[in-house]
DNA sequence: AAATCGGGGCA
DNA sequence: TGCCCAGATTT
């Protein structure tokens, strides 16, 4: 066993690596005092139920507090506890997640619930390492659950903490670089107190959300202003360092609304990958950037040929949608059929009314208003012509 | 280490 | 428009 070496002077943090926090205990005390005066009252703070804490943490991954609240309420209404979630079908879970984004979260949530019921008698583990064994729970979320649900110290490094620490330390490194990551986790652990872990976790995140905001940090009201090297150096507006993101490519797609007396055809996407498990109209996309006008007709013809539909398709309009790593331009068409078409058996035929409550993904949901605005059959679909059991083929 | 994975809010 | 959000997983 080698003797534990001390950090040589050459590895001591230089200016780019950030400054040290010399009084972490005092810093935490002042932060906690501020939190008890100014902390937010949020739905998931009115419980210590690990199930509810867990659900909130997963929903809040890369998703704002505002967007989460309604989903959180609806989800708990339907699945009030772990057993209810584990007993549900993935389809039902996805339906409650539709519109929230990052659908692997819903799949992992359901899988983790089943795993806990099957292997842990439905009890959440308290240790970070065991929490991280569950799908969808990484290092930061594990720390958050341990802190908030169990009031035991669990370090967190989410977007809020990352920003707060970059400024406190005056860390002049790309915040996602390995060097920065090491520093940030080091201080995240160092600052997490043994006592008051629950309050500290909420406090550091509230500080990031209310005071140490992405833009216009409110240093005048910051309880940690006296500890902040970023502010001392006048760098609080510049930190954390921003990295230029490459321009996202444009993707072209054509969707076809096939209308029969039974309704409009939709299909489910594969469970893995983009928008996994959500539903959509039959569509075809160009893999790469291309000339929009020329590609539109080509894609439509290709799609109709694949489906064996030779009737004339009418344009419904176009939709734009932005994803994290590409933009989508979507051309919507409709085809009116008198009878049924010979299409895959796992497709379903839904009325416009049913579609509005169906887990369509975002870009295709944007087509529905175009349909309402267009003249023709869809909205005047005769009720008596409808299949009494639209979920199954008639 | 880099790419993948959504959608909404904001200046 | 570009950036941000209570990040994790896959390659």
């Amino acid at each position: 066993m080698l003797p534990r070496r001390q950090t040589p002077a050459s590895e001591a943090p230089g200016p780019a690596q950030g400054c040290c926090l010399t009084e972490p205990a005092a810093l935490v005390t002042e932060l906690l005092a501020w939190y008890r005066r100014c902390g937010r009252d949020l739905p998931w703070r009115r419980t210590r139920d690990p199930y509810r804490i867990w659900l909130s943490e997963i929903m809040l991954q890369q998703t704002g507090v505002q967007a989460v609240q309604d989903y959180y309420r609806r989800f708990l209404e339907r699945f009030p506890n772990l057993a209810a979630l584990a007993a549900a079908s993935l389809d039902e879970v996805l339906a409650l997640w539709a519109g929230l984004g990052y659908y692997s979260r819903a799949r992992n949530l359901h899988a983790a619930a089943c795993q806990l019921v099957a292997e842990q008698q439905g009890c959440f583990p308290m240790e970070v390492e065991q929490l991280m064994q569950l799908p969808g729970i990484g290092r930061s979320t594990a720390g958050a659950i341990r802190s908030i649900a169990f009031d035991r110290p669990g370090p967190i490094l989410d977007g809020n903490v990352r920003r707060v620490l970059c400024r406190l330390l005056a860390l002049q490194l790309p915040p996602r670089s390995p060097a920065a990551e090491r520093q940030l986790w080091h201080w995240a652990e160092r600052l997490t107190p043994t006592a008051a872990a629950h309050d500290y976790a909420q406090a550091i995140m509230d500080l990031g959300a209310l005071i140490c905001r992405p833009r216009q940090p409110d240093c005048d009201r910051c309880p940690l202003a006296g500890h902040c090297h970023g502010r001392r150096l006048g760098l609080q507006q510049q930190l954390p360092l921003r990295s230029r993101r490459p321009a996202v490519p444009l993707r072209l797609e054509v969707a076809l609304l096939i209308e029969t007396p039974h309704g409009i055809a939709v299909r489910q996407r594969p469970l893995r990958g983009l928008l996994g498990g959500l539903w959509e109209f039959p569509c075809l996309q160009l893999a790469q950037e291309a000339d929009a006008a020329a590609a539109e007709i080509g894609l439509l013809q290709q799609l109709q040929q694949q489906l064996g539909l030779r009737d004339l398709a009418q344009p419904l309009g176009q939709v734009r949608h932005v994803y994290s790593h590409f933009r989508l331009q979507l051309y919507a068409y409709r085809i009116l059929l008198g009878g049924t078409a010979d299409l895959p058996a796992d497709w379903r035929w839904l009325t416009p009314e049913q579609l509005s409550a169906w887990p369509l993904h975002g870009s295709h949901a944007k087509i529905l208003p175009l349909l309402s605005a267009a003249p023709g059959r869809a909205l005047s679909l005769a009720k008596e012509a409808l299949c009494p059991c639209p979920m199954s083929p008639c």
Side-chain angles (χ1 to χ4, degrees):
Chain A
M1 180 96 169
L2 290 171
R4 187 170 299 279
R5 66 189 172 94
Q6 289 197 318
T7 304
S10 63
E11 287 185 18
Q17 271 65 45
C19 310
C20 287
L21 302 174
T22 53
E23 297 181 289
L27 185 156
V28 168
T29 301
E30 289 155 36
L31 177 61
L32 288 171
W34 169 83
Y35 170 70
R36 283 161 190 148
R37 277 187 297 121
C38 306
R40 290 175 291 179
D41 176 28
L42 297 168
W44 41 89
R45 291 190 174 172
R46 301 189 161 203
T47 180
R48 298 291 178 108
D49 178 0
Y51 169 73
R52 294 178 178 237
I53 305 293
W54 167 55
L55 175 65
S56 74
E57 289 301 326
I58 301 300
M59 282 190 166
L60 287 161
Q61 285 170 358
Q62 297 295 283
T63 307
V65 164
Q66 185 72 25
V68 163
Q69 303 218 31
D70 284 342
Y71 283 90
Y72 178 78
R73 182 168 30 256
R74 280 201 302 269
F75 200 97
L76 283 177
E77 220 168 272
R78 174 60 188 84
F79 305 122
N81 53 51
L82 195 60
L85 178 56
S89 73
L90 178 57
D91 279 338
E92 207 175 349
V93 177
L94 278 171
L96 281 167
W97 207 275
L100 199 53
Y102 287 121
Y103 298 95
S104 64
R105 293 184 294 174
R107 295 197 298 276
N108 288 333
L109 196 75
H110 185 245
C114 295
Q115 187 177 323
L116 284 171
V117 166
E119 300 172 13
Q120 313 282 340
Q121 295 78 45
C123 290
F124 271 86
M126 224 166 51
E127 302 304 324
V128 166
E129 288 75 14
Q130 295 175 44
L131 286 164
M132 287 178 67
Q133 298 303 307
L134 295 166
I137 300 183
R139 189 174 174 186
S140 185
T141 301
I145 295 173
R146 176 171 166 82
S147 294
I148 299 170
F150 300 109
D151 200 21
R152 307 286 172 98
I156 300 172
L157 187 57
D158 65 354
N160 283 317
V161 178
R162 190 181 302 279
R163 182 173 58 257
V164 168
L165 289 180
C166 280
R167 287 174 176 159
L168 274 176
L169 299 165
L171 188 65
Q172 290 164 269
L173 291 171
R176 296 294 189 164
S177 66
E181 206 76 4
R182 276 197 305 277
Q183 284 288 313
L184 292 169
W185 272 112
H186 169 78
W187 285 104
E189 288 176 352
R190 184 92 194 277
L191 287 179
T192 301
T194 306
H198 169 92
D199 285 0
Y200 172 78
Q202 315 271 24
I204 187 82
M205 290 192 284
D206 272 8
L207 189 75
L210 300 175
I211 305 287
C212 201
R213 301 170 297 217
R215 285 173 292 244
Q216 298 295 122
D218 193 358
C219 299
D220 291 340
R221 293 187 187 173
C222 181
L224 305 184
H227 298 269
C228 184
H229 292 292
R231 178 166 186 258
R232 179 174 60 78
L233 297 170
L235 294 173
Q236 68 273 22
Q237 301 268 12
Q238 277 67 44
L239 297 175
L241 256 43
R242 294 150 166 75
S243 53
R244 282 278 168 271
R245 253 191 243 169
V248 296
L250 177 67
R251 208 177 272 187
L252 302 179
E253 182 178 317
V254 162
L256 192 54
L257 276 65
I258 306 166
E259 299 178 42
T260 75
H262 294 301
I264 303 171
V266 292
R267 65 186 184 190
Q268 189 171 26
R269 293 178 63 93
L271 281 183
R272 291 189 52 122
L274 183 71
L275 305 165
L278 295 191
W279 293 72
E280 66 185 8
F281 303 110
C283 58
L284 205 57
Q285 69 176 11
L286 247 55
Q288 301 299 334
E289 204 153 346
D291 177 71
E296 180 185 351
I297 299 301
L299 280 177
L300 177 63
Q301 290 174 344
Q302 199 179 332
L303 181 59
Q304 286 197 237
Q305 190 174 2
Q306 281 183 14
L307 300 178
L309 299 171
R310 278 180 289 184
D311 302 69
L312 182 67
Q314 309 161 15
L316 273 175
Q318 59 173 292
V319 159
R320 294 172 191 279
H321 200 71
V322 180
Y323 296 88
S324 46
H325 51 302
F326 64 92
R327 293 173 299 138
L328 180 67
Q329 183 143 346
L330 169 60
Y331 299 93
Y333 286 82
R334 71 194 302 197
I335 274 187
L336 299 172
L337 297 182
T340 54
D342 183 24
L343 293 172
D346 55 349
W347 291 16
R348 294 190 185 165
W349 304 92
L350 304 179
T351 67
E353 191 176 50
Q354 290 173 311
L355 279 171
S356 64
W358 203 260
L360 290 178
H361 63 256
S363 63
H364 284 203
K366 286 182 181 173
I367 296 176
L368 294 179
L370 301 178
L371 189 62
S372 316
R377 177 162 52 184
L379 282 180
S380 57
L381 216 54
K383 286 273 194 280
E384 59 272 19
L386 292 182
C387 173
C389 48
M391 298 290 284
S392 57
C394 295

